[in-house]
Amino acid sequence: MTKTALITGATSGIGEATAYEFAKQGIHLILCGRRVERLHTIEEALKKLTVVHTLNFDVRNKQQTFEAIASLPENFKNIDILVNNAGNAHGLDPIHEGDIDDWDTMIDINVKGLLYVSKAIIPQMTERHSGHIINIGSSAGKEVYPKGNVYCATKHAVLAITKGMRLDLNPYGIKVTAINPGMVKTEFSQVRFKGDPISDSVYKGFKALEAKDVADIIYFAVSRPAHVNIADLLVYPTAQSNSTTVLKEQ
Ligand code: NDP
Ligand code: 8X3
């Protein structure tokens, strides 16, 4: 039976690559993000492969989030796969120099936004006794690195929420998975460093993961047989061995 997936943060990086991967597999798509033009460009491209609907909302806005999801047309209302991917780091500063607005932004998007979207969708999954939630955590949810403080805290929270969801939703036959990548070359560092050219140096001297590498893994997780749940997966680029150790060419 054809499945429907809702992907947050589908306008770039891991979310966009996941949309392409799912579309190739014929999964019907609900693509979410704030940048409406990008949503439409991606929709136009993917319409050749599958059925696509777009939702334009900011996950920080509770009302917008619930209204957007409630507005889904009948043929998109039953969501089988939720990919909670929207998120970013904002800033990289020691805790005593951190910007409070950056902290608010990361907590509001990465933690509260993920919860709002989940709250809007989970009741239909519990009612149908089926569904799969993929939460995009990070290696930063497993370890804390210098200056990573609040971003790492949000990703630790994503992991705790994932574990909580798995416990609470297991009786309803709902799978819950955390996919935790190390360094992936996306727009992530441009956002973190607010367009500062320093963002160009982050992925220099080694082969970082590509968004497609993570998308392949997400599709692998959602395509396992009914009795198999990938609970928690950590993936690094080969050159990376933990959050602070990356083999770079000089
Ligand atoms: P990108 O910056 O390329 O993508 C982030 C996506 O999140 C965009 O589509 C953006 O869409 C969306 N987004 C951001 N803020 C909001 C918001 N307030 N409301 C709705 N959507 C929002 O980064 P990545 O693809 O790398 O990041 C995706 C996820 O992967 C994040 O959760 C990130 O923490 C995680 N991750 C990334 C890693 C990396 O090294 N790149 C490693 C580990 C985890 P728009 O701006 O259009 O709203
Ligand atoms: C993104 C990976 O190491 O840049 O979550 O924080 S890292």
Side-chain angles (χ1 to χ4, degrees), residues 81-97:
I81 302 164
L82 163 61
V83 183
N84 274 318
N85 164 75
N88 276 117
H90 291 257
L92 181 71
D93 303 295
I95 195 79
H96 53 289
E97 291 170 13

Side-chain angles (χ1 to χ4, degrees), residues 25-200:
Q25 309 295 340
I27 296 173
H28 292 184
L29 292 174
I30 303 159
L31 306 179
C32 309
R34 291 167 304 173
R35 287 170 288 181
V36 77
E37 272 181 32
R38 282 204 189 194
L39 280 176
H40 290 149
T41 309
I42 297 165
E43 179 182 21
E44 279 311 306
L46 297 190
K47 263 183 5 195
K48 297 174 188 110
L49 299 168
T50 190
V51 186
V52 185
H53 187 82
T54 60
L55 290 179
N56 173 223
F57 63 96
D58 186 326
V59 298
R60 286 173 292 187
N61 187 317
K62 214 182 303 183
Q63 193 182 340
Q64 259 186 30
T65 301
F66 279 88
E67 282 177 4
I69 291 165
S71 78
L72 283 168
E74 210 48 51
N75 54 330
F76 283 98
K77 273 214 185 306
N78 285 354
I79 296 163
D80 303 291
I81 302 164
L82 163 61
V83 183
N84 274 318
N85 164 75
N88 276 117
H90 291 257
L92 181 71
D93 303 295
I95 195 79
H96 53 289
E97 291 170 13
D99 181 326
I100 290 182
D101 289 339
D102 283 344
W103 296 353
D104 283 340
T105 305
M106 289 186 281
I107 292 167
D108 288 349
I109 300 172
N110 302 358
V111 183
K112 292 169 70 180
L114 180 147
L115 286 169
Y116 297 160
V117 174
S118 302
K119 177 75 177 162
I121 293 172
I122 288 172
Q124 50 148 292
M125 290 184 169
T126 52
E127 199 174 314
R128 290 198 309 273
H129 281 248
S130 75
H132 195 159
I133 301 171
I134 306 275
N135 291 331
I136 305 303
S138 168
S139 53
K142 306 258 177 195
E143 279 180 85
V144 179
Y145 54 81
K147 304 182 189 174
N149 43 67
V150 177
Y151 177 67
C152 296
T154 66
K155 291 301 183 177
H156 277 67
V158 169
L159 219 46
I161 291 165
T162 304
K163 288 178 187 169
M165 284 180 171
R166 196 178 308 114
L167 283 167
D168 296 344
L169 301 178
N170 185 269
Y172 297 92
I174 298 168
K175 295 187 192 184
V176 185
T177 297
I179 306 287
N180 307 290
M183 296 174 81
V184 193
K185 192 171 182 207
T186 62
E187 293 176 17
F188 179 85
S189 289
Q190 291 166 35
V191 174
R192 165 168 259 176
F193 296 110
K194 304 169 171 66
D196 188 299
I198 194 180
S199 65
D200 296 336

